[in-house]
Amino acid sequence: MRRPVVAGNWKMHGSRRANKALLAELELQLPPQWPIDVVVFPPYVYLADAVRLLAESSLAVGAQDVCAEPDGAFTGQVGAAMLKDVGCCYVIVGHSERRRLYHEDDALVARKFAAALGAGLTPVLCLGESLAERDAHKTEAVVARQLDAVIAMNGIASFSDAILAYEPVWAIGTGRTASPDQAQAVHAFLRSRVEAQDANIARHLRVLYGGSVKGGNAAELFSMPDVDGGLVGGASLSADEFQQICAAAAVRH
Ligand code: PEP
């Protein structure tokens, strides 16, 4: 059985005071022995705080993005080794907001994935189609293209240390969730695409669903055989909601 993951992407939200309160509440609500991996992704400037606050906890910390370059004259960027240095274990690459708002293409995402792995971080690779692409029946073609770019640059073996997150763009922050069947269909497609190259890696690969996951819909989504947890945005800012989502993932285990 694959160990479920619940990942909370805080996006550009929070403050030192609010983060401290949220993490303290989460620590109280999440039993340390749960059979799931729980990760929070605060903005860069709060990463070191989060690592310190969670030092005695089973929650891990990740970053929302990473520079593709290792170091050098890249003003405003943060390198993978720096993230590792402050105690991050995970990093999101290819989030649709980065692809859409900051024009990150498949090749750049593949390089970020490589940078993360090179520094010993676990990349959470986001894939997903827009509403127009879904309506045009291009969902599989889009996620295949996004996945294949990363496989082509990094090799299939690199996926033994990575996590996939299927995030239909039309479901992110919109309150509109993919149905469990829609999510399962894409997750199964992604797994089969990896399986075509390495069955063992495909069997162990965790594929998360993201897009308006809430306490009230998580159990249904996580009951699907290829949905191994969630990448959660808005609901990760509420300890109660996030705890409910984690509880749903723990039941799956
Ligand atoms: C996300 O930020 O990756 C996300 C899925 O957001 P939300 O849960 O708010 O839709």
Side-chain angles (χ1 to χ4, degrees):
M1 186 65 185
R2 294 179 292 273
R3 188 176 165 91
V5 185
V6 177
N9 174 14
W10 293 2
K11 310 195 187 195
M12 201 171 77
H13 294 292
S15 65
R16 294 189 83 181
R17 182 196 289 236
N19 300 347
K20 191 174 175 186
L22 176 59
L23 292 176
E25 229 183 304
L26 276 181
E27 270 199 274
L28 279 179
Q29 295 198 17
L30 301 183
Q33 303 305 336
W34 265 9
I36 61 173
D37 293 327
V38 182
V39 191
V40 292
F41 293 80
Y44 281 143
V45 291
Y46 300 128
L47 289 171
D49 269 359
V51 168
R52 184 174 43 78
L53 290 165
L54 296 174
E56 305 298 320
S57 119
S58 58
L59 276 76
V61 177
Q64 298 172 17
D65 186 29
V66 64
C67 183
E69 307 296 337
D71 55 28
F74 300 101
T75 301
Q77 297 280 40
V78 177
M82 297 170 184
L83 297 176
K84 184 77 180 171
D85 193 31
V86 297
C88 287
C89 299
Y90 297 81
V91 62
I92 295 171
V93 296
H95 191 280
S96 68
E97 286 155 16
R98 303 284 328 164
R99 292 181 190 259
R100 186 166 47 87
L101 301 172
Y102 303 99
H103 314 294
E104 294 192 2
D105 62 13
D106 294 336
L108 179 60
V109 171
R111 290 176 56 229
K112 290 186 173 199
F113 184 98
L117 282 178
L121 299 165
T122 300
V124 179
L125 171 63
C126 297
L127 316 161
E129 82 288 2
S130 67
L131 188 56
E133 289 164 340
R134 172 161 284 267
D135 288 346
H137 307 288
K138 289 184 181 156
T139 298
E140 290 191 352
V142 169
V143 297
R145 190 203 72 224
Q146 293 170 334
L147 178 65
D148 291 355
V150 179
I151 297 176
M153 186 175 293
N154 296 282
I156 196 68
S158 65
F159 281 78
S160 58
D161 297 315
I163 293 172
L164 290 187
Y166 168 56
E167 295 209 309
V169 179
W170 46 272
I172 298 178
T174 59
R176 188 175 161 191
T177 316
S179 70
D181 286 339
Q182 284 174 322
Q184 168 60 25
V186 180
H187 284 225
F189 172 76
L190 289 168
R191 198 180 302 286
S192 72
R193 201 149 181 102
V194 173
E195 189 178 17
Q197 300 199 36
D198 191 311
N200 193 41
I201 288 176
R203 198 167 33 251
H204 293 102
L205 182 64
R206 275 119 30 114
V207 186
L208 314 184
Y209 168 77
S212 300
V213 176
K214 305 266 182 290
N217 60 24
E220 219 190 349
L221 286 159
F222 299 167
S223 71
M224 305 312 282
D226 286 293
V227 179
D228 304 307
L231 177 52
V232 183
S236 70
L237 298 171
S238 152
D240 286 345
E241 283 281 332
F242 199 61
Q243 185 274 343
Q244 283 180 49
I245 295 167
C246 291
V251 167
R252 172 182 168 76
H253 185 273

